[in-house]
């Protein structure tokens, strides 16, 4: 039986693996996609203490190699459920059942979608949730950013440097993001604010050719001829599979304190998937360490 199973190989999960192994426990990491989590496609991380600049890929690879180099096992399998059998837990994937003493849920969060018809179909064909990852595909073109927080403002600023024109669409007339960043965008000639508006339709077969924008005050719609739509309306967790095992908050995040303990003995949580204020690499890494040490101490 494995001592500790970690669900998710993002920063939180991989850090938990390092701490679990170093505490003398056997560790298995189960990851639905590739290791690294959300950060893996980011071209440049500038706020991780001690690393002035590093790409998301290099950062994630170093973390993965550190964890597996120490002896953590890694398997590319999505966890479908976790069964609580008291002192042991059974982790179910499509192909296997794994028994262990403790589980750390480090499932992160994913980008929120607009919920429009054909949105999924057009991802990678004009729709993106990551400007720094995909912006270069739209060099010299006209694009739109949808959102009102810091991510949307950063995306618009980034795209304004490489695109012909950027529409910034927001559902209100005030932004949640930093006022200074809003002012900088107002000064850019190729950025047009489309406020009190929402994206109500997608135009184009095979590739995005435009969007329909609805004015929320008048109800009028108009078409914007964009080849790219960058959706930056926040993130949501993916914890429904564990809703009978741990308590979720109304937004679906796992409820736990700063100690990373869920209300269920032997089940811990770490990183962006839990209810918390700051979702960053540093806080995910901190959670990973805290959760793993708590899990190991309780075995
Ligand atoms: C574009 C972008 C840029 C960012 N830039 C920065 C930055 O510069 N600095 C910074 O500090 N933060 C940045 N962040 C935030 C940072 O990436 C996150 O805070 C951090 O990745 C959270 O780590 P995590 O391990 O909690 O979750 P994640 O990185 O989301 O990893 C969770 C992992 O769990 C896996 N998973 C989910 N469900 C299951 C399941 N059922 N079974 C198995 N595996 C599962 C997922 O596939 C994923 O790999 C950025 C985020 C984005 C999206």
């Amino acid at each position: 039986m494995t001592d500790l199973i970690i669900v998710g190989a993002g920063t939180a999960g991989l850090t938990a693996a390092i701490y679990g192994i170093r505490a003398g426990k056997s560790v298995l990491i189960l990851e639905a996609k590739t290791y690294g989590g959300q950060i893996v496609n980011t071209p440049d991380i500038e706020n991780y203490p001690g690393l002035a600049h590093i790409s998301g890929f290099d950062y994630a690879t170093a973390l993965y190699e550190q964890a597996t180099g120490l002896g953590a096992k890694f398997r590319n399998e999505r966890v479908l459920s976790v069964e609580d059998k008291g002192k042991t837990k059974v982790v179910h994937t499509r192909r296997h059942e794994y028994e262990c003493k403790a589980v750390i849920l480090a499932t992160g969060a994913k980008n929120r979608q607009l919920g429009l018809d054909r949105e999924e179909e057009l991802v990678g064909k004009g729709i993106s949730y990551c400007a720094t990852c995909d912006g270069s595909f739209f060099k010299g073109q006209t694009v739109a950013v949808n959102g009102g927080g810091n991510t949307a403002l950063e995306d618009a600023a980034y795209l304004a440097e490489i695109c012909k024109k950027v529409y910034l669409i927001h559902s209100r007339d005030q932004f949640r993001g930093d006022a200074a960043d809003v002012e900088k965008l107002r000064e850019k000639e190729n950025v047009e604010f489309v406020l009190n508006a929402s994206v109500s339709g997608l135009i184009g077969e095979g590739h995005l050719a435009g969007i329909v924008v609805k004015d929320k005050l008048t109800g009028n719609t108009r078409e914007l001829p964009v080849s790219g739509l960058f959706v930056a309306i926040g993130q949501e967790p993916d914890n429904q599979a564990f809703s009978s095992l741990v308590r979720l908050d109304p937004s679906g995040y796992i409820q736990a304190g700063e100690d990373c303990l869920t209300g269920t003995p032997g089940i811990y949580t770490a990183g962006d998937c839990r209810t918390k204020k700051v979702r960053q690499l540093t806080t995910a890494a901190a959670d990973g360490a805290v959760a793993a040490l708590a899990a190991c101490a309780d075995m």
Side-chain angles (χ1 to χ4, degrees):
M1 185 188 345
T2 305
D3 290 324
L4 177 61
I5 289 187
I6 297 167
V7 185
T11 294
L14 291 171
T15 305
I18 292 168
Y19 275 77
I21 288 281
R22 285 173 55 82
K25 306 298 179 189
S26 56
V27 174
L28 170 63
I29 310 162
L30 296 170
E31 165 58 52
K33 295 178 185 162
T34 178
Y35 67 77
Q38 293 166 59
I39 202 65
V40 77
N41 291 317
T42 298
D44 192 18
I45 303 166
E46 295 183 347
N47 62 357
Y48 199 85
L51 297 171
H53 292 281
I54 187 166
S55 74
F57 180 77
D58 287 349
Y59 163 80
T61 302
L63 201 47
Y64 170 79
E65 286 177 352
Q66 190 178 359
T68 53
L70 286 167
K73 301 276 177 273
F74 176 89
R75 281 177 178 253
N76 207 198
E77 293 181 59
R78 170 173 284 278
V79 172
L80 300 178
S81 64
V82 176
E83 209 179 329
D84 184 9
K85 293 195 163 185
K87 287 209 176 304
T88 62
K89 319 289 168 193
V90 182
V91 176
H92 297 265
T93 69
R94 193 162 62 82
R95 296 191 297 273
H96 298 105
E97 287 180 358
Y98 299 99
E99 206 175 19
C100 62
K101 295 178 187 163
V103 174
I104 297 177
L105 300 172
T107 52
K110 60 182 183 182
N111 295 309
R112 192 169 284 143
Q113 301 197 332
L114 291 167
L116 295 171
D117 268 359
R118 301 190 305 121
E119 183 174 350
E120 296 257 1
E121 186 189 315
L122 289 169
V123 172
K125 296 167 187 160
I127 294 190
S128 169
Y129 302 88
C130 178
T132 46
C133 315
D134 300 331
S136 60
F137 299 127
F138 299 87
K139 263 187 193 149
Q141 300 177 32
T142 298
V143 301
V145 174
N146 190 191
N150 280 326
T151 304
L153 299 177
E154 283 166 22
D155 286 359
Y158 179 82
L159 292 165
E161 295 302 314
I162 53 176
C163 295
K164 188 166 119 196
K165 172 150 187 152
V166 179
Y167 292 100
L168 177 55
I169 303 162
H170 179 38
S171 56
R172 299 165 59 183
D173 60 358
Q174 300 290 321
F175 287 89
R176 289 188 314 283
D178 294 345
D181 291 339
V182 177
E183 285 319 305
K184 278 189 205 154
L185 282 175
R186 283 193 201 283
E187 286 162 16
K188 290 192 187 286
E189 282 182 0
N190 64 339
V191 176
E192 181 176 330
F193 286 52
V194 184
L195 302 179
N196 293 311
S198 61
V199 181
S200 59
L202 303 171
I203 303 164
E205 297 298 326
H207 196 285
L208 190 74
I211 55 176
V212 181
V213 175
K214 184 173 182 179
D215 185 308
K216 296 181 96 173
L217 303 179
T218 63
N220 294 339
T221 58
R222 66 168 165 145
E223 292 182 9
L224 299 179
V226 301
S227 52
L229 171 62
F230 291 85
V231 181
I233 54 170
Q235 293 191 309
E236 57 193 11
D238 185 10
N239 294 320
Q240 282 311 314
F242 314 112
S243 60
S244 58
L245 186 73
V246 292
R247 271 180 299 124
L248 304 183
D249 72 16
S251 302
Y253 291 97
I254 298 170
Q255 291 191 317
E258 289 304 310
D259 55 10
C260 295
L261 306 180
T262 70
T264 310
I267 308 289
Y268 306 81
T269 186
D272 281 15
C273 63
R274 77 173 179 88
T275 308
K276 65 199 296 196
K277 279 199 178 144
V278 181
R279 294 193 171 87
Q280 286 280 279
L281 296 170
T282 47
T283 57
D287 276 5
V290 170
L293 291 176
C296 295
D298 291 346
M299 273 177 207

